């Protein structure tokens, strides 16, 4: 893959994850974040995850030295092939930053927002120059390992830009999922949010601890979802007749009031249960140690999928209009 210049605006957990993936794939990165200690935190982050990236595999020209922090947003984007925006999830802030990026970035640059919630049509509203190159490119943490990136176009987006972005992310060993349309929260986060709300209700009602909820996923549906996802998993639940029989057999259960999709009130009592529960689960391991364990597991899991020939092809992860 030809070396490109990537601009990263905002260097929190997601922004730094993008920086790590870009660098591991041999690209140059120009980063901007107004926080005084941003550069120091990013360099520490890169040093912490570089071993995981080395084990996962990186290109010949991968180097932390390809990172440059700059003092202004304009300087960060002026020569960029792709701009990855990662500022906090506030609509006014994102629209303001993307408007500035649109003003200063080359007309040929792709502008991608990592937003987990906002639709691209909303984010491109204040882009007065080239709104047609503004898209959503929503990753999943840790960005430097998890391959999925959800790509969505807004009402003003040129579809060729979405295709160009798909190629770029695909060449970085990612699995770009090009959405047929746009929706708040995209796909992955909407599904995770539904499970998260239900999990909070279960803990709040005293039915299970945080550890019991996690175990119910890790040792059950989580194992199946890692390979097939909810639809194909349930297709197998229907036996020889597949989904047709599953819907006939279990469809009526959808009307039963098992789930409570409205989020529970986050009371001090519920907060205490969740915080105490996860602290007990963590034991003597700090967050960095848990992250390293997670990374080792993810690398092994992705290698297993590859070895078994189940690594999803572009056709399997891409939506078509």
């Amino acid at each position: 893959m030809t070396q490109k210049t990537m601009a990263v605006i905002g260097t929190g957990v997601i922004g730094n994850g993008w920086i790590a993936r870009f660098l591991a794939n041999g690209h140059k990165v120009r980063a901007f974040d107004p926080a005084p200690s941003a550069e120091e935190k990013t360099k520490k982050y890169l040093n912490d995850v570089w071993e995981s990236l080395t084990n996962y595999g990186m290109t010949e020209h991968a180097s932390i030295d390809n990172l440059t922090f700059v003092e202004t947003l304009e300087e960060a984007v002026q020569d960029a092939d792709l701009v990855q925006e990662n500022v906090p999830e506030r609509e006014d802030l994102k629209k303001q930053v993307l408007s500035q990026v649109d003003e200063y970035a080359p007309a040929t640059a792709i502008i991608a927002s990592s937003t987990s919630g906002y639709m691209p049509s909303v984010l491109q509203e204040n882009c007065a120059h080239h709104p047609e190159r503004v898209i959503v490119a929503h990753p999943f943490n840790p960005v430097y390992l998890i391959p999925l990136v959800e790509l969505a176009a807004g009402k003003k987006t040129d579809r060729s830009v979405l295709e160009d972005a798909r190629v770029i992310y695909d060449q970085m060993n990612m699995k770009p999922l090009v959405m047929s349309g746009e929706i708040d929260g995209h796909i992955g986060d909407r599904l995770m949010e539904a499970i998260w709300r239900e999990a909070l209700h279960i803990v709040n009602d005293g039915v299970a601890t945080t550890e019991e909820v996690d175990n119910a996923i890790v040792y059950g549906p989580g194992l199946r979802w890692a390979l097939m996802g909810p639809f194909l998993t349930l297709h197998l639940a229907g036996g020889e007749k597949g989904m047709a029989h599953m819907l006939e057999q279990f469809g009526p259960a959808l009307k039963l009031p098992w789930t409570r999709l409205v989020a529970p009130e986050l009371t001090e009592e519920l907060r205490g249960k969740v915080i105490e529960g996860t602290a007990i689960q963590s034991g003597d391991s700090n967050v960095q140690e848990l992250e390293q364990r997670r990374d080792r597991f993810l690398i092994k899991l992705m290698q297993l999928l590859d070895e078994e020939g189940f690594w999803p092809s572009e056709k399997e992860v891409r939506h078509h209009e």
Side-chain angles (χ1 to χ4, degrees):
M1 181 180 182
T2 304
Q3 185 183 61
K4 296 183 180 297
T5 298
M6 311 297 202
V8 174
I9 310 301
T11 58
V13 172
I14 298 301
N16 282 335
W18 276 120
I19 290 174
R21 185 174 279 273
F22 291 153
L23 293 175
N25 282 273
H27 297 300
K28 293 182 178 180
V29 177
R30 297 174 70 83
F32 169 72
D33 192 311
S37 59
E39 182 173 3
E40 178 184 350
K41 289 181 178 179
T42 295
K43 290 182 177 179
K44 181 183 183 305
Y45 179 95
L46 291 173
N47 287 327
D48 289 341
V49 305
W50 206 250
E51 180 179 355
S52 292
L53 282 165
T54 302
N55 294 333
Y56 182 47
M58 54 179 64
T59 64
E60 179 183 355
H61 302 293
S63 174
I64 293 178
D65 294 336
N66 284 332
L67 170 65
T68 302
F69 261 81
V70 295
E71 295 184 357
T72 66
L73 181 148
E74 180 178 1
E75 187 179 358
V77 306
Q78 61 185 2
D79 297 319
D81 295 298
L82 182 145
V83 180
Q84 196 77 43
E85 171 271 310
N86 315 280
V87 302
E89 288 288 300
R90 285 180 20 218
E91 181 180 331
D92 58 339
L93 177 60
K94 282 191 175 289
K95 290 169 76 170
Q96 176 189 350
V97 169
L98 289 169
S99 175
Q100 294 174 336
V101 172
D102 181 48
E103 179 180 357
Y104 297 127
T108 55
I110 298 171
I111 302 176
S113 175
S114 298
T115 180
S116 60
Y118 298 114
M119 294 189 295
S121 289
V122 172
L123 298 178
Q124 64 190 186
E125 286 177 350
N126 292 350
C127 296
H129 299 272
H130 296 285
E132 71 278 358
R133 43 66 178 276
V134 176
I135 66 170
V136 160
H138 172 235
F140 291 79
N141 189 47
V143 182
Y144 55 88
L145 289 182
I146 297 291
L148 180 63
V149 54
E150 296 175 329
L151 304 183
K155 295 176 181 177
K156 298 178 181 179
T157 304
D158 187 326
R159 297 297 297 193
S160 67
V161 172
L162 205 63
E163 173 60 19
D164 291 342
R166 185 196 65 77
V167 171
I168 290 175
Y169 293 115
D170 182 71
Q171 291 177 340
M172 292 191 294
N173 200 29
M174 301 191 79
K175 294 296 175 183
L177 189 158
V178 181
M179 295 175 58
S180 299
E182 57 177 331
I183 188 172
D184 289 328
H186 322 310
I187 301 174
D189 273 9
R190 290 177 74 98
L191 295 172
M192 290 192 297
E193 193 72 16
I195 294 175
W196 172 235
R197 287 194 295 264
E198 194 65 24
L200 287 175
H201 275 296
I202 290 172
V203 172
N204 191 48
D205 294 344
V207 177
T209 64
T210 60
E211 183 174 13
E212 290 166 349
V213 170
D214 283 354
N215 286 344
I217 295 293
V218 171
Y219 302 113
L223 292 173
R224 301 181 303 191
W225 289 342
L227 175 63
M228 294 186 175
F231 279 108
L232 196 54
T233 293
L234 292 177
H235 175 63
L236 299 185
E240 292 184 1
K241 294 183 180 180
M243 183 61 77
H245 179 68
M246 200 287 300
L247 291 176
E248 179 182 348
Q249 185 78 6
F250 299 103
L254 294 174
K255 297 181 180 180
L256 297 177
W258 286 0
T259 56
R260 298 198 289 175
L261 294 182
V262 177
E265 182 180 353
L266 197 57
T267 62
E268 287 301 315
E269 181 182 3
L270 177 54
R271 287 173 56 88
K273 287 182 178 180
V274 172
I275 294 171
E276 181 183 2
T278 51
I280 292 173
Q281 285 180 256
S282 300
D284 296 330
S285 300
N286 59 36
V287 170
Q288 184 176 346
E289 291 170 336
L290 291 173
E291 287 175 339
Q292 291 171 346
R293 182 186 182 194
R294 174 202 64 192
D295 289 356
R296 289 194 300 270
F297 172 80
L298 287 173
I299 291 172
K300 291 177 182 178
L301 179 59
M302 289 187 287
Q303 289 172 342
L304 175 62
L305 287 170
D306 188 40
E307 291 171 7
E308 293 296 324
F310 289 119
W311 194 251
S313 66
E314 175 186 327
K315 179 181 177 181
E316 291 174 301
V317 298
R318 188 179 180 191
H319 282 250
H320 295 277
E321 291 186 305

